[in-house]
Amino acid sequence: MIDLLQSIVPTILFFSAPLILTALGGVFSERSGVVNIGLEGLMVIGAFVGIVFSLTYQSTFGALTPWIAIVVAAIIGGIFSIIHAVASVSFYANQVVSGVAINMLALGIGVYLTKQWYDKGQTDMVEGFFRTDIPVLSNIPVIGPIFFERVYATSYLAIILAFVAWFVLYKTTFGLRLRAVGEHPMAADTNGINVKKIRYIAVVLSGILGGLGGSVFALTIVSNFSQSTIVGQGFISLAAVIFGKWHPLGAMGAAIFFGFAQSLSIVGSSIPVIEDIPQVFLLIAPYVLTILALAGLIGRADAPKANGVPYIKGSR
Amino acid sequence: MIFNKKFAPLLIPVISVLLGLLVGGIIMLISGYNPIAGYQALWLGAFGDAFTIGETIRRTTPLILTGLAIAFAFRSGLFNIGAEGQVIVGWLASVWVGIGIEAPMIIHLPLAILAGMLAGALWGLVPGLLKATLGVHEVIVTIMMNYIALYVSNEIIRSVLTDHATKTEQIASSASLSAEWLQSLTMYSRVHYGILIAIFAAAIMWFLIERTTIGYELKSVGYNQFASRYAGMNVKKNIILSMVISGGFAGVAGAMEGLGTYGNIHLMSGFTNLGFDGIAVALLGSNHALGVVIAAFLFGSLKEGAGQMPTSAGVPIELVDIIIALIIFFVASSYIIRLAILRFKKEGK
């Protein structure tokens, strides 16, 4: 049993880390009232930047390269998301339409530049992150080998950030304001909160976290960038936001669960009960569960009240 | 003159397209390509000879239908991002009927198209029902339904229609939309009769929306649910109906791919993008039937013409995706364009 867990748990954590990070981004954006269908595109930009940076500076920074790469990817993701912020906050664009455009634009730019810079549709492979033992913690009996041996440090980065996000949203003034803006922007405005500023910050945070998620995905799971590096992970993250009821820790739980479902198609054959389930059921599980959650069959999921509604000062 | 009321609705789409092409040109310039050569290649790739014109029409066909699907839902205040999935199930169902049944063409072909339409409609029914009865937002449900469609249809192709093959056998010729005389006219491009069906569908949408009580109610629900309910309309029924019809249009788009372009269905690693491009088409076409046809033709030409750009001008195909994304942004941000026009007008006086 312990052997089984030892092989499964690190794989689940490894698959869910990018989903957790991106879902946290979705939580920030949606909690402030800006729907973010563009998470997929933000992950694409993150993956692209992460891989290109690693390819270019591998020789300069050595073992530190992937860490610097994800930071750069997060920054570029944040900058890229400003497009979504400008369209949906300042220009009152339909946020879903803007998100769809973000997805198209990100993939277009990523592949366009890949072809221009590398003269081919996909980049070379990079080294990316390696599995490591977490010092001290991996020496704990039973728990150590299951959770802290041969894992990716990025998995723990994601989990720590989820708690940070929870703290920011629920224990700080900024978090309170952000949630207020997402529930009732007019009331928030009356209390002197700058609605547009908060929403800009929230969208950029989603870009930073989405870029981080995309680059972690690229540097741990696929190791290169092409048209088909990010295929649906952003939408699974969006599902995790909703399944987790727009709560950072809920989203983390949902992301781990969806990461589990994804990893099952790989490790499932070694688990007695699951090996008999056809793969297609595992593949569609996250999506079906999200629909059921929305339908209220697995606890009711209610979106922030002002989600998706542009705030126009003076309108009722 | 340009700001005449009659032309005002045309202004935003035209400005958006021009801006999109302009920025596309600037991108080419910055990345060291010749924009004139690039756009020349684009033009030749779409209209250079009979073959490319045939292929442009073929590419436009499903875009008209997905554009109609999304525009139809938009008119009743619903956002159908699920056209993607509805296309896939429609494609699958039409090919399934095309392979599985033996019948004379006059029965077989309509039956196969109908199967595609019903499958798409069924895929639209789920989000429609959830929205009408439980108030669940249709955007999220339709996104989730896209992935379910993708994985389920791949599984059916692998395990039911074939024995672990990557694509099905060809459909019977009695279910095929291929038009030999059109093909010979266009140097054997893959153009097929589907374009007639697509234009007919546009006419149906126009008639439904503008000339029937059903259309009136659907539009009314789109404008104001509460007023519609007060006026005695059944809002729930209209929401479900709108999603079902929208899904039906998208399902037919899938049937066009299955019965016309490919004649089979293959395993898909990702989406066809017909549904997402349909959002751009509907938006640019201002959700009107005629506008959708024109916008679909524009995007069809851009996408087909892009194929020529790498060989003739060295420009990656993806430039066109960037241009289309920018056009969507510009149309979606029309508020700011309107503001700019208004300023411009005031200063002109």
Side-chain angles (χ1 to χ4, degrees), chain A residues 19-36 39 162 165-166 169-170 178-179 182 202-203 205-206 209 237-252 254 304 307:
Chain A
L19 303 182
I20 296 173
L21 291 166
T22 312
L24 290 176
V27 169
F28 275 113
S29 170
E30 303 233 334
R31 258 346 241 293
S32 80
V34 180
V35 167
N36 205 338
L39 288 178
W166 166 80
L169 270 178
Y170 287 93
L178 193 145
R179 286 181 291 134
V203 173
L205 276 175
S206 82
L209 287 162
S237 307
L238 185 68
V241 173
I242 297 156
F243 197 58
K245 297 182 180 143
W246 288 271
H247 189 287
L249 300 182
M252 178 183 78
N307 208 7

Side-chain angles (χ1 to χ4, degrees), chain B residues 103-271:
Chain B
M105 191 175 212
I106 195 154
I107 300 170
H108 200 177
L109 181 57
L111 202 63
I113 296 173
L114 195 69
M117 187 159 89
L118 288 178
L122 180 71
W123 229 249
L125 175 67
V126 176
L129 268 178
L130 288 174
K131 169 93 177 182
T133 57
L134 296 167
V136 181
H137 205 293
E138 75 280 5
V139 166
I140 305 296
V141 179
T142 47
I143 290 176
M144 301 302 138
M145 292 293 285
N146 283 343
Y147 285 93
I148 297 174
L150 180 70
Y151 293 123
V152 168
S153 74
N154 275 350
E155 181 64 20
I156 289 177
I157 296 165
R158 244 191 319 250
S159 308
V160 182
L161 288 178
T162 70
D163 190 16
H164 294 276
T166 54
K167 62 178 184 192
T168 65
E169 52 185 301
Q170 292 295 113
I171 53 167
S173 62
S174 54
S176 172
L177 277 169
S178 65
E180 217 156 279
W181 67 276
L182 273 176
Q183 289 182 339
S184 63
L185 210 66
T186 56
M187 296 152 77
Y188 295 93
S189 70
R190 288 178 291 171
V191 64
H192 53 82
Y193 284 124
I195 185 68
L196 301 178
I197 294 172
I199 289 172
F200 181 61
I204 289 178
M205 152 138 177
W206 174 83
F207 185 78
L208 257 180
I209 292 273
E210 308 292 344
R211 289 286 179 273
T212 66
T213 323
I214 300 170
Y216 183 81
E217 287 199 6
L218 288 174
K219 272 190 295 185
S220 163
V221 168
Y223 282 128
N224 191 331
Q225 286 195 10
F226 303 104
S228 307
R229 185 172 298 133
Y230 191 67
M233 295 174 195
N234 186 340
V235 173
K236 288 184 179 179
K237 189 198 84 184
N238 277 301
I239 288 175
I240 297 173
L241 190 66
S242 169
M243 281 306 290
V244 166
I245 295 176
S246 172
F249 277 123
V252 175
M256 298 300 104
E257 295 295 87
L259 306 174
T261 308
Y262 295 96
N264 63 11
I265 182 165
H266 48 81
L267 291 183
M268 291 175 218
S269 59
F271 288 124

Side-chain angles (χ1 to χ4, degrees), chain A residues 8-60:
Chain A
I8 299 169
V9 172
T11 313
I12 295 170
L13 291 176
F14 151 75
F15 269 94
S16 40
L19 303 182
I20 296 173
L21 291 166
T22 312
L24 290 176
V27 169
F28 275 113
S29 170
E30 303 233 334
R31 258 346 241 293
S32 80
V34 180
V35 167
N36 205 338
I37 304 276
L39 288 178
E40 177 92 359
L42 297 170
M43 280 187 91
V44 170
I45 286 294
F48 170 72
V49 174
I51 293 292
V52 169
F53 185 89
S54 296
L55 279 174
T56 316
Y57 293 105
Q58 184 77 52
S59 52
T60 322

Side-chain angles (χ1 to χ4, degrees), chain B residues 70-93:
Chain B
I70 287 149
F72 196 90
F74 258 137
R75 289 302 280 275
S76 38
L78 297 168
F79 199 151
N80 179 12
I81 296 209
E84 201 60 59
Q86 292 146 11
V87 164
I88 294 175
V89 292
W91 187 341
L92 179 75

